[in-house]
Amino acid sequence: MKASSTPSNLIACLMAGFDTVTNHLMLLLFPIVLDLFLWFGPHLRIRTLIQAYLAQVSTLPELQAPEMAQTLQLGREAWLWVAEHLNLFTALRTYPVGIPSLMVSRQPIQTPLGNPPMWEVTSAGGLLLWWLLLSLVGLVLGALYFVLVAQASLNGKVQWRQALSQWPQASLQVVYLALYLVGLTFAVGLPAMCGISLALLGDPVVSRVVLFFLAVIVVWIFFPLLFSAHGIFAFQHKMWASIRQGTHLMRTTASRSSLFFLTLLVFSEGFNILWRVPAETSWLSMVGVVGHAFIATGLLAGTFIYYRDGVRWVQRLIQHSLLVEGR
């Protein structure tokens, strides 16, 4: 038994992903509907909370010094932009599992039909509650979207009955995964922020070295988790099994998988620049919404094909190694 020298063809995986979407255009409805809701639907804002925060900050004695005036003004302008544009409904776009959205990056406040309805959250407790609720809904809907994309890309067809039966268990594992990643982010992020703060107080050369090593550590921890969710949908794994298999694949094929995800990033961001060219008040933005849905869904389907082929290659590699050792 001879193991293949490479796990999969990157271009072939991407082309197969786009073929999958072409044959199952229904999958585009998920990102299209989400983008239309974020564009034309009501906006949930926290402008009142931000204005109250700015009013409170402006009264602090330590910020009354003349040398702080420019910094205070720049910060105020940034917060006022957030107050006008931030739509809490963008929390429906969740990670690592979620429905892709173009409008999350655009944060539109106008539409071709005029201004959408504006709703206000006026308390910090309400803000937290809305964010948690919307994030949970985004994860659950994203799980269904991932189940269907995985079916279409790996089986060549969508079976709604099977997908709906898998959906509750997949949603539960996705919530577990999201909680794990949030905890890991805090566990890594808090010491990293302390290290960055201390580095910035020291010698500039030493600071750059410290920042470089901190960046390497963060990448080393989080890079292997890029496939952490795929096993839940491709093989119906539990969260820990999915993380282990995805991490093993990423570490075994580190250079090739790095190239694969870099290609996805360049491809996705390159097209996103094009999709964002029309103004938010122009109906031409609909072209961007549909185009983004096609590209994002095709790339996701390509990752499932790459993941399946990569896992099979790793398994063949292990079997080949065992046979060689047994001789």
Side-chain angles (χ1 to χ4, degrees):
M1 181 179 187
K2 183 178 179 181
S4 173
S5 59
T6 57
S8 55
N9 185 292
L10 305 184
I11 302 300
C13 289
L14 294 179
M15 294 302 296
F18 289 120
D19 287 342
T20 296
V21 178
T22 302
N23 295 327
H24 301 87
L25 293 177
M26 171 272 302
L27 297 173
L28 302 184
L29 290 177
F30 285 83
I32 289 175
V33 169
L34 177 58
D35 270 336
L36 291 181
F37 174 72
L38 295 178
W39 190 12
F40 291 95
H43 287 205
L44 191 60
R45 303 197 299 183
I46 55 172
R47 185 172 63 174
T48 302
L49 282 174
I50 292 178
Q51 289 175 341
Y53 166 76
L54 292 176
Q56 186 176 5
V57 167
S58 62
T59 62
L60 295 176
E62 54 268 28
L63 297 179
Q64 302 304 314
E67 59 270 17
M68 294 294 297
Q70 185 176 3
T71 301
L72 187 61
Q73 180 61 26
L74 290 174
R76 180 180 177 82
E77 291 175 359
W79 277 110
L80 288 176
W81 187 94
V82 172
E84 290 296 325
H85 289 80
L86 179 63
N87 179 7
L88 278 183
F89 282 122
T90 56
L92 291 169
R93 173 51 172 123
T94 51
Y95 298 92
V97 172
I99 302 172
S101 169
L102 177 67
M103 291 301 167
V104 166
S105 63
R106 298 199 65 173
Q107 295 288 341
I109 57 175
Q110 294 180 313
T111 75
L113 300 177
N115 295 331
M118 299 293 177
W119 300 346
E120 282 286 338
V121 176
T122 57
S123 68
L127 168 61
L128 178 61
L129 184 61
W130 270 108
W131 181 78
L132 290 174
L133 177 62
L134 292 172
S135 297
L136 180 60
V137 172
L139 287 171
V140 172
L141 293 178
L144 178 59
Y145 171 68
F146 268 55
V147 166
L148 294 172
V149 173
Q151 275 192 353
S153 55
L154 302 181
N155 303 329
K157 58 183 178 179
V158 171
Q159 296 175 307
W160 276 98
R161 180 174 297 181
Q162 182 181 357
L164 293 176
S165 67
Q166 294 176 4
W167 185 21
Q169 180 63 24
S171 298
L172 183 62
Q173 299 306 313
V174 164
V175 171
Y176 290 157
L177 178 61
L179 292 174
Y180 168 75
L181 292 177
V182 169
L184 182 62
T185 300
F186 275 103
V188 175
L190 291 179
M193 292 300 295
C194 294
I196 291 172
S197 300
L198 293 174
L200 294 176
L201 295 175
D203 181 82
V205 176
V206 177
S207 299
R208 293 191 186 95
V209 174
V210 173
L211 292 175
F212 172 77
F213 279 107
L214 285 174
V216 170
I217 292 172
V218 170
V219 171
W220 181 79
I221 292 174
F222 285 99
F223 174 74
L225 297 175
L226 290 175
F227 276 128
S228 59
H230 281 62
I232 297 173
F233 305 99
F235 303 117
Q236 289 74 57
H237 286 329
K238 298 295 179 65
M239 180 198 73
W240 286 116
S242 181
I243 291 176
R244 286 195 299 269
Q245 189 170 68
T247 301
H248 187 208
L249 173 62
M250 290 296 291
R251 295 199 185 282
T252 306
T253 63
S255 59
R256 194 171 186 84
S257 294
S258 299
L259 179 61
F260 179 69
F261 278 103
L262 179 61
T263 303
L264 296 185
L265 179 63
V266 171
F267 205 80
S268 175
E269 291 304 313
F271 274 99
N272 283 348
I273 294 173
L274 176 64
W275 306 141
R276 288 193 287 260
V277 169
E280 61 192 45
T281 56
S282 171
W283 286 108
L284 287 176
S285 289
M286 279 297 302
V287 177
V289 168
V290 176
H292 174 269
F294 181 83
I295 295 297
T297 306
L299 293 178
L300 177 61
T303 65
F304 276 111
I305 295 169
Y306 178 90
Y307 177 80
R308 177 198 61 193
D309 293 349
V311 168
R312 289 176 176 175
W313 177 80
V314 170
Q315 291 173 346
R316 290 197 300 269
L317 192 65
I318 294 173
Q319 293 173 0
H320 178 70
S321 300
L322 292 176
L323 287 175
V324 171
E325 291 176 1
R327 289 175 182 173

